[in-house]
Amino acid sequence: MPTTHPHSDAPHPEAHEPDVDERTAAALRLWVIMSRAQAAVSDLASADVARHGLTLAEFGILEALYHRGPMLLGEVQKRILVSSGGITFLVDRLVAKGLVERRTCESDRRARYAALTAKGEELVRDIFPAHAAVITRAMAGIPSEDQQHVADMLRDVGRHAANLPPAD
Amino acid sequence: MPTTHPHSDAPHPEAHEPDVDERTAAALRLWVIMSRAQAAVSDLASADVARHGLTLAEFGILEALYHRGPMLLGEVQKRILVSSGGITFLVDRLVAKGLVERRTCESDRRARYAALTAKGEELVRDIFPAHAAVITRAMAGIPSEDQQHVADMLRDVGRHAANLPPAD
DNA sequence: TGCCGTTGTCTTACTACTAAGTATTATACA
DNA sequence: TGTATAATACTTAGTAGTAAGACAACGGCA
C-alpha cells in the first residue's frame, strides 16, 4: 500500500526543481555540507576560546606566535586570513591585554614584529592542549586513517578556488 | 651534499615545538585546511553574487525560497544558519530590494512567511546557473567519484561538533 | 475559562571585522 | 642620483552580522 506521510512532502506550487546535472548537484551538496561542518566546528572552537576572553582570530595569532616565534604583521595576516586593517586592530587588542608586544624590525623600518609576552606565552601553554582536544574530538567524525586523504583533497579545493578567476 | 636553503628554516629561538600526538596533529591540520578551503570558496561565491549586489546570506535565502517555495522565517533561519535577529534584518533588506515579500500565516498569527516576488524569482533564475558553475568548478578539487564520500564524512563532522558539549 | 511555559518575530545595542585610502619606507630603474 | 613603483602598517568610516531581551500569540492543562 502507498504510505502517506503526516507532513505532506509534495513540493510547494511556488517551488522550482533545481535543473542541474548530477555532477553540479553533488558539488553544491558538498559545498553546503562543508560550510555547515566548518561553521559547527568554528562555533565550538569559538566557544572554547571565549571562556578565556579570546576571539578565534586572536587565539589564532597567539598560537601562530607561540609555535613560530615572532612574526611580521604581514606574515601573521596571511596566516590568519584577515585584512590589513584587521591585523593591526587585532594586535592592538592583544597588546592592550598584555599578551603580545610589537617590536621594530632592524632591516625594514616600515615593518613591525608581533611577539608573545611572557603572559601571552603562559596563556597559550595553558589553553592550547584543551583547545586542541576539542578540535580533535570534533574532527573525529572523519576516521583517523582518512584524515590525511581528505586534507589533501580539501587543500586542492582551496588552491582551486584561490586560482579561479573572480568572474568569467 | 647537505643542501642549505637560502631562507633559514631553523626554528626561531622563541618558537615552541607543538607537543601533541600525531592523531591530534592530523586533526588540527585538517581543521586548518578545511577552514582555508571553506574561506576560499566562500570568497569566490561572495564575489560572484556581489556582482548582483547580493550578500552570500541574501543569495542563500533567495535560493532556498526559489527551490522550496515560501518558508516561515524560522525555517529560513535554520537553513541559512543565521541568528533570529539576523533573519529579520536580511529579509528586510531583500524586501527593500523588491526581491522578497512577507506573507502572514493563516494558522499562526505570530509567524510570517517569506516568499519571492516575481522580480526575485527572475533574479534567481538569471544568476543561479552561473553561480552553481562557479561552486562546481571550485569543488572540482575533489574528484567527482570522491565527493559523495567526503560529503558523508563532513556531515558527520558537523553532527559531531554540534552534539559536543560546549566545554568540558 | 484562565494561567503558564513555549514559540516566532522583531528591536536595540553592540562587535568583530572589512574596504578604501594614507603615510612612510624600501626597491627598481632611467 | 633622483624618481616612480611597490610594500608595510595604520586610520577612518562603514557593514554584516550577533546577543540579549521584549512582545505577541499559541497550546497544554487545571
Side-chain angles (χ1 to χ4, degrees):
Chain A
M1 74 179 187
T3 60
T4 54
H5 267 77
H7 310 295
S8 154
D9 30 28
H12 190 282
E14 292 178 45
H16 296 78
E17 292 299 321
D19 59 346
V20 294
D21 56 38
E22 177 49 34
R23 200 185 176 80
T24 301
L28 291 178
R29 274 197 304 270
L30 177 52
W31 160 233
V32 170
I33 290 169
M34 181 170 92
S35 294
R36 284 174 178 287
Q38 207 279 332
V41 179
S42 184
D43 284 355
L44 203 65
S46 286
D48 183 60
V49 299
R51 295 185 300 155
H52 308 282
L54 293 174
T55 295
L56 211 47
E58 290 175 324
F59 178 77
I61 295 177
L62 295 181
E63 199 218 314
L65 294 177
Y66 183 82
H67 288 127
R68 307 291 253 228
M71 301 171 77
L72 292 175
L73 289 194
E75 295 178 312
V76 182
Q77 185 195 334
K78 275 174 234 144
R79 265 184 89 81
I80 307 300
L81 296 183
V82 80
S83 69
S84 146
I87 196 64
T88 296
F89 180 67
L90 285 166
V91 169
D92 278 353
R93 248 180 4 201
L94 291 170
V95 168
K97 289 180 188 173
L99 301 172
V100 162
E101 62 184 14
R102 281 193 171 82
R103 294 181 191 168
T104 59
C105 174
E106 302 276 315
S107 61
D108 185 341
R109 292 196 305 178
R110 292 169 303 181
R112 321 288 299 276
Y113 285 101
L116 288 183
T117 61
K119 184 178 167 193
E121 200 172 308
E122 189 185 5
L123 181 62
V124 174
R125 213 190 319 268
D126 269 5
I127 72 184
F128 180 73
H131 185 75
V134 167
I135 303 293
T136 303
R137 240 173 307 148
M139 284 300 176
I142 299 183
S144 211
E145 65 269 23
D146 289 333
Q147 291 198 356
Q148 181 61 49
H149 185 214
V150 173
D152 288 343
M153 291 191 284
L154 287 178
R155 185 164 16 229
D156 233 53
V157 168
R159 266 201 290 261
H160 238 82
N163 294 333
L164 234 52
D168 66 354
Chain B
M1 73 178 190
T3 59
T4 54
H5 268 77
H7 310 295
S8 153
D9 31 29
H12 190 281
E14 291 178 45
H16 297 78
E17 292 300 321
D19 59 347
V20 293
D21 56 38
E22 177 49 33
R23 199 183 177 83
T24 302
L28 291 178
R29 274 196 305 270
L30 177 52
W31 161 232
V32 169
I33 288 168
M34 180 172 91
S35 293
R36 289 173 114 81
Q38 206 279 332
V41 179
S42 183
D43 284 355
L44 204 63
S46 286
D48 184 59
V49 298
R51 295 185 301 156
H52 309 280
L54 293 174
T55 295
L56 211 46
E58 290 174 325
F59 178 77
I61 294 177
L62 296 181
E63 198 219 315
L65 294 178
Y66 183 81
H67 288 125
R68 308 291 252 228
M71 300 170 79
L72 292 175
L73 290 194
E75 295 178 313
V76 182
Q77 184 195 335
K78 275 174 232 145
R79 265 184 88 80
I80 307 299
L81 295 182
V82 81
S83 68
S84 143
I87 196 64
T88 295
F89 180 66
L90 284 166
V91 169
D92 279 352
R93 251 185 355 208
L94 291 170
V95 169
K97 289 178 187 173
L99 302 172
V100 163
E101 61 184 15
R102 281 193 172 83
R103 295 183 191 167
T104 58
C105 173
E106 302 277 315
S107 62
D108 186 340
R109 292 197 304 177
R110 293 167 304 178
R112 321 289 297 277
Y113 285 101
L116 287 184
T117 62
K119 184 177 167 194
E121 201 173 307
E122 189 185 6
L123 180 63
V124 174
R125 213 190 320 266
D126 268 6
I127 72 184
F128 180 73
H131 185 75
V134 166
I135 303 293
T136 304
R137 240 174 307 146
M139 284 300 176
I142 298 183
S144 210
E145 65 270 24
D146 290 333
Q147 291 197 358
Q148 180 61 50
H149 185 215
V150 173
D152 289 343
M153 290 191 285
L154 287 178
R155 183 163 18 226
D156 233 53
V157 169
R159 267 202 288 260
H160 238 82
N163 295 332
L164 234 52
D168 67 352

